[in-house]
Amino acid sequence: MTGTPAPFTADDYQARMERAARAAADAGLAGVLVAPGPDLVWLTGYAPPAATERLTLLVLAAGQDPVLVVPTLEAPDAEKAAGAPALTLRDWTDGKDPYATTAPLLDAGGRFGVSDNAWALHLLGLQKALPGTSYVSLTEGLPMLRAVKDAAELERLAAAGEAADATYEEILKVSFAGRRESEVAGDLADLLRRFGHSQVDFTVVGSGPNGANPHHEAGERVIENGDMVVLDFGGLKHGYGSDTSRTVHVGEPSAEERRVHDVVREAQEAAFRAVRPGIACQDVDRVARAHITEAGYGDRFIHRTGHGIGVTTREPPYMIEGEEQPLVPGMCFSVEPGIYLPGRFGVRIEDIVTVTEDGGRRLNNTSREMAVVH
């Protein structure tokens, strides 16, 4: 396992905030408004109390210093954030109007990008204070804001992928037959934490017919000999995501099960080999989908081929028809085609991939051949 990476500095966060402000201006926006959540952590290093209902808002605009509006009682914590030296804190006290504090920071007639998880309560409060303003979600207005990772971010994503790989290698050693899906899922969660994850986001264990549901949550079904089992698991390590899928078989698989698995493995390999700078996100999806369709299972591939990953385990860009965003070195996303046969079984194989100067590099490197477990 790789060691703990050096922490991000105030200079790192300042560069991100400047980049966000420039991107907003280039997109024709007056600025960016960032509520608590992944965007705020990425831009400032500050994660306020999860349950807070008080207005906390980062205001970024080209040509003006970043300002973080915070409740007075939470200002001491905000001052400790790694990015705090690169911004100005503006606090408001209970009983005062937080929108009156925030409004002077905004262009009264501007259109702003707003982080997706901003509270409607606060957005409506700003609109009431500044009726000439308008808003667009960051996913719509600045979808690539966090998409291109720098070297330090790639190091963390690689470490998370390495930990997920180690988890898979260990799960192959446990017993599957006669145990509930939830028990195997618990093993996966324990292993992810053992290998350095601070947060486990999902542990999908879809056995037999449950594997035909791509987002089946591990339940109480007892895994049987002869089952195909889809494993999909990930979370955060050093603040960055992992997400990998492998499909195993309890005992020897049938010829059909092997064939379906081979089709998915070949589609995943073809899609990975298609990754290179300049091609559109949708082209990755098209390559995987064409292979599965040619094999006769096109109508059983029922989800996108991939999603971005970073400080969250799912974020833009998306590898799906209609997404014309070209790939850029430093982008990281999953490549995860699947085939799902209702009432019978499913197969999915997934790696996180980063775009390099001349192609792609996998951040998951466990075998993609079907593993036989007991």
Side-chain angles (χ1 to χ4, degrees):
M1 290 287 140
T2 53
T4 302
F8 293 119
T9 67
D11 288 343
D12 293 324
Y13 291 113
Q14 181 176 2
R16 291 177 185 177
M17 287 188 280
E18 290 174 351
R19 186 169 117 199
R22 285 196 306 271
D26 291 345
L29 298 174
V32 177
L33 308 179
V34 185
D39 291 315
L40 187 64
V41 172
W42 183 76
L43 286 162
T44 68
Y46 178 50
T52 185
E53 76 286 358
R54 296 177 172 90
L55 176 71
T56 298
L57 200 68
L58 175 67
V59 180
L60 302 177
Q64 71 182 52
D65 292 336
V67 178
L68 180 62
V69 178
V70 295
T72 301
L73 77 168
E74 292 167 13
D77 289 333
E79 290 170 352
K80 297 174 186 175
L87 50 78
T88 299
L89 288 180
R90 184 86 44 99
D91 67 318
W92 61 275
T93 58
D94 281 358
K96 302 293 184 180
D97 181 357
Y99 312 111
T101 300
T102 309
L105 305 173
L106 275 57
D107 177 347
R111 182 170 175 80
F112 293 86
V114 182
S115 51
D116 295 0
N117 54 344
W119 283 35
L121 170 71
H122 299 319
L123 198 56
L124 292 169
L126 284 175
Q127 283 185 313
K128 184 176 181 181
L130 294 170
T133 55
S134 59
Y135 306 91
V136 61
S137 72
L138 283 185
T139 288
E140 181 182 346
L142 294 175
M144 296 298 110
L145 181 61
R146 302 194 323 247
V148 178
K149 274 64 179 180
D150 62 25
E153 292 181 293
L154 289 173
E155 178 186 2
R156 287 162 169 78
L157 283 161
E162 185 182 1
D165 284 356
T167 294
Y168 177 65
E169 296 288 0
E170 288 298 313
I171 204 68
L172 295 180
K173 301 174 184 177
V174 310
S175 295
F176 280 70
R179 301 178 69 211
R180 299 184 189 279
E181 292 172 340
S182 57
E183 294 177 276
V184 177
D187 291 341
L188 286 169
D190 290 344
L191 287 165
L192 285 169
R193 293 189 183 96
R194 184 205 300 179
F195 292 118
H197 278 61
S198 60
Q199 177 177 313
V200 176
D201 285 355
F202 49 89
T203 51
V204 172
V205 180
S207 64
N210 288 342
N213 175 0
H215 281 171
H216 169 73
E217 294 193 6
E220 296 308 297
R221 183 181 184 275
V222 176
I223 301 169
E224 302 173 357
N225 191 55
D227 278 347
M228 195 84 91
V229 185
V230 177
L231 305 173
D232 183 351
F233 50 93
L236 300 183
K237 178 176 180 175
H238 305 317
Y240 280 75
S242 68
D243 185 1
T244 189
S245 301
R246 294 291 185 264
T247 303
V248 303
H249 198 276
V250 186
E252 286 301 315
S254 67
E256 182 192 17
E257 289 170 329
R258 283 197 180 278
R259 177 173 183 270
V260 172
H261 191 279
D262 283 345
V263 169
V264 174
R265 179 176 53 78
E266 291 160 2
Q268 205 264 357
E269 176 69 18
F272 165 69
R273 292 191 178 278
V275 172
R276 62 183 182 278
I279 73 163
C281 291
Q282 67 181 2
D283 292 333
V284 179
D285 182 82
R286 286 173 176 177
V287 168
R289 205 164 297 278
H291 186 85
I292 289 175
T293 299
E294 185 178 351
Y297 296 99
D299 62 340
R300 304 272 46 101
F301 180 12
I302 55 177
H303 56 71
R304 64 197 175 202
T305 294
H307 57 80
I309 191 168
V311 292
T312 56
T313 47
R314 294 185 184 90
E315 62 187 45
Y318 299 103
M319 307 300 115
I320 185 63
E321 184 66 32
E323 180 50 80
E324 298 179 351
Q325 168 68 39
L327 300 188
V328 176
M331 280 185 178
C332 292
F333 50 85
S334 64
V335 177
E336 51 176 308
I339 293 174
Y340 307 93
L341 305 180
R344 301 182 63 204
F345 64 89
V347 175
R348 182 166 62 258
I349 300 173
E350 173 186 15
D351 296 322
I352 298 302
V353 172
T354 183
V355 184
T356 64
E357 293 297 329
D358 57 1
R361 175 169 67 95
R362 282 186 167 106
L363 301 186
N364 296 108
N365 294 289
T366 54
S367 173
R368 284 164 285 280
E369 299 290 336
M370 189 194 301
V372 174
V373 296
H374 63 277

